[in-house]
Amino acid sequence: MREGDLTDVPFAVLLHAQALERRTAVLEIERGPLQKTIVIERGIPVGCTSNLLHETLGRFMVARGDLAEADYQRVLAKSATTGTPFGDSMITEKLITPTELYRVLQQNLAKKLLDGFTWRSGHFRLLSEPAEQRSPLTIKVGQLIVTGISKLTSQDEVNGAVRPFIGETLYLHPDPPYRLRDIRLSPDQQRLVAMLKTGKRIDELAAETTISFDDITRLLYGLGVIGIVAPDSWLPVEPSPTVRVVNEPKTEAVAIVETDLDAEAMREDLMAMYLKFRGLDAFDQLGLDTTTDVVAIESAYLEYSRRFAPWRFERAGLGNLTEK
C-alpha cells in the first residue's frame, strides 16, 4: 500500500512492514492539522520532523530540564543567523558534549516516533526514496514497536488485535524477524515470555502470572506484530520446546584495557565525527583542500585511520563504540 488509513493499518504494523521489506522511503502521517514526516532507510527510521513545536530538539531539551530557556533562545538565534544546526551550536557553546548530543538526539527521535502509537486515526502515504541522509541516528524497530504498544497504544486497538489469539495456544516463533534477546523486557514480562516456550493460552497466562490482563494483551500484541509470538496454527512447524528457545546465551569477551589512552577524549572525538560524517565528503573528513597532493592525502588518511581504528577503542575500554 502506498497510502491508507491508520484505522485500517495501525502505526505499529506500518513500521514493521517497512522494516520487513527493508524499504527506503519517506513516510508521511497526518491527523487533522498534525503532520509527521518519517525518513526510513533500509527499513529503519533515521529521522522524523513534525509541525509540533515541543518536538523540536531545543524545546524537547528545555521541557526535560536539560537546557535553560535563556540558553535555548540564545543558541536558537545563533543557529538561525549562522545556518549552523542547533546541535552543533550547542557543542560550540559548550552546553553539551558530542556524546550527550547523540544520546539526546536518539531520545528525541524515539519520542517523536512513539507519539505515532497514540494515533487512533489518520492518513498515511509512502513517498519515493528520500534525498541523501546525513543523520547517523538509528532506531531499533522491534523495541520501538513493543514499547509503543505496551505504553501508548489504546486498549481498544489492543483488544481488537489480539482477538484472533483468544483460545489459541501461543508459542515463541522458531525463526522470528527480530531476536528476542534484543527486546528489553521487565522481569515479569521475561517470565511470561518464558512460559510461551512450551505454549500457553492467554487465559492460562493470566492465571499463572501477576501481570494484569490488559498488560498481558499489550505485550502479546507487540510481540505478535514483530513476529516473535504467534498461535500454533500460524507457525511453520509443529510446536516443539526444543526449537522454540530463541534466547541464546550471551558470551562476554575479555577486554584488554590500555590505561595510557584518554578514553573520554577518544569518545568525544569519535562522537563529534560520527554525528556529522554522513554530511562530509572525503576531503572534509580528512581536513584537506581539494588541491592537496597525493602524498599529503595518504598521510592524512593513515592518520585518520589510526585515529578511528576500532581496536584503539577496545583497548581503551570503549568496546561499545567499536561499531561506530
Side-chain angles (χ1 to χ4, degrees):
M1 297 173 64
R2 303 303 299 183
E3 63 179 302
D5 197 292
L6 291 174
T7 306
D8 303 319
V9 184
F11 186 62
V13 177
L14 188 57
L15 288 180
H16 178 57
Q18 313 315 308
L20 281 183
E21 294 295 323
R22 295 179 60 82
R23 183 173 287 123
T24 296
V26 172
L27 170 63
E28 291 185 346
I29 61 173
E30 58 182 29
R31 184 187 63 186
L34 304 182
Q35 299 177 343
K36 289 180 186 283
T37 300
I38 303 165
V39 178
I40 298 174
E41 193 171 79
R42 295 189 295 277
I44 299 173
V46 297
C48 179
T49 58
S50 78
N51 60 354
L52 299 172
L53 179 62
H54 70 268
E55 290 191 341
T56 60
L57 176 61
R59 277 295 166 203
F60 173 73
M61 294 183 65
V62 170
R64 298 199 326 169
D66 295 335
L67 184 65
E69 178 67 28
D71 289 332
Y72 164 70
Q73 295 294 344
R74 176 167 53 84
V75 174
L76 183 63
K78 179 179 180 180
S79 177
T81 302
T82 63
T84 305
F86 187 85
D88 291 352
S89 295
M90 284 197 298
I91 292 177
T92 302
E93 294 289 316
K94 300 188 183 307
L95 294 171
I96 197 169
T97 66
T99 298
E100 291 168 342
L101 175 60
Y102 177 75
R103 186 180 302 114
V104 172
L105 285 169
Q106 285 278 107
Q107 293 168 347
N108 182 225
L109 174 57
K111 189 171 190 308
K112 287 187 284 189
L113 292 170
L114 285 170
D115 180 60
F117 289 86
T118 67
W119 291 26
R120 290 287 312 282
S121 61
H123 187 80
F124 74 84
R125 58 178 160 268
L126 281 165
L127 307 180
S128 57
E129 292 189 5
E132 182 179 354
Q133 288 300 302
R134 297 188 175 188
S135 170
L137 304 177
T138 58
I139 290 290
K140 294 182 178 179
V141 180
Q143 184 68 62
L144 178 72
I145 290 173
V146 171
T147 301
I149 290 176
S150 297
K151 297 182 179 298
L152 300 169
T153 298
S154 73
Q155 193 61 45
D156 287 344
E157 179 184 323
V158 173
N159 294 341
V162 300
R163 193 168 292 122
F165 288 2
I166 302 298
E168 293 269 6
T169 301
L170 306 176
Y171 289 93
L172 297 180
H173 198 288
D175 186 26
Y178 306 87
R179 295 182 301 183
L180 179 58
R181 70 184 186 187
D182 291 336
I183 308 298
R184 294 193 306 273
L185 301 172
S186 70
D188 284 342
Q189 291 175 328
Q190 291 175 13
R191 284 189 287 271
L192 185 147
V193 169
M195 296 168 62
L196 297 175
K197 294 176 182 178
T198 54
K200 291 287 183 180
R201 298 191 310 273
I202 293 180
D203 60 306
E204 292 175 327
L205 292 172
E208 298 176 30
T209 66
T210 58
I211 305 177
S212 71
F213 188 81
D214 285 352
D215 287 342
I216 290 174
T217 56
R218 284 177 172 276
L219 179 61
L220 293 178
Y221 178 27
L223 295 177
V225 167
I226 63 175
I228 287 180
V229 170
D232 181 27
S233 58
W234 295 11
L235 297 176
V237 293
E238 288 297 317
S240 170
T242 59
V243 300
R244 299 190 194 287
V245 180
V246 295
N247 256 336
E248 304 93 341
K250 293 183 179 180
T251 57
E252 299 293 338
V254 178
I256 300 175
V257 178
E258 293 187 13
T259 56
D260 60 329
L261 297 175
D262 188 340
E264 191 58 32
M266 289 172 61
R267 179 198 304 275
E268 298 307 331
D269 185 36
L270 171 65
M271 294 308 300
M273 179 58 74
Y274 185 73
L275 282 166
K276 62 185 180 182
F277 82 98
R278 295 188 65 177
L280 304 177
D281 64 19
F283 286 96
D284 291 332
Q285 289 193 43
L286 297 178
L288 298 176
D289 188 85
T290 55
T291 60
T292 306
D293 62 70
V294 173
V295 174
I297 291 175
E298 290 178 344
S299 176
Y301 173 74
L302 291 173
E303 175 56 33
Y304 186 87
S305 299
R306 281 190 290 267
R307 178 181 165 196
F308 295 120
W311 49 88
R312 286 190 70 236
F313 293 87
E314 293 174 356
R315 291 169 182 166
L318 300 172
N320 61 317
L321 297 178
T322 54
E323 183 178 355
K324 290 182 176 58

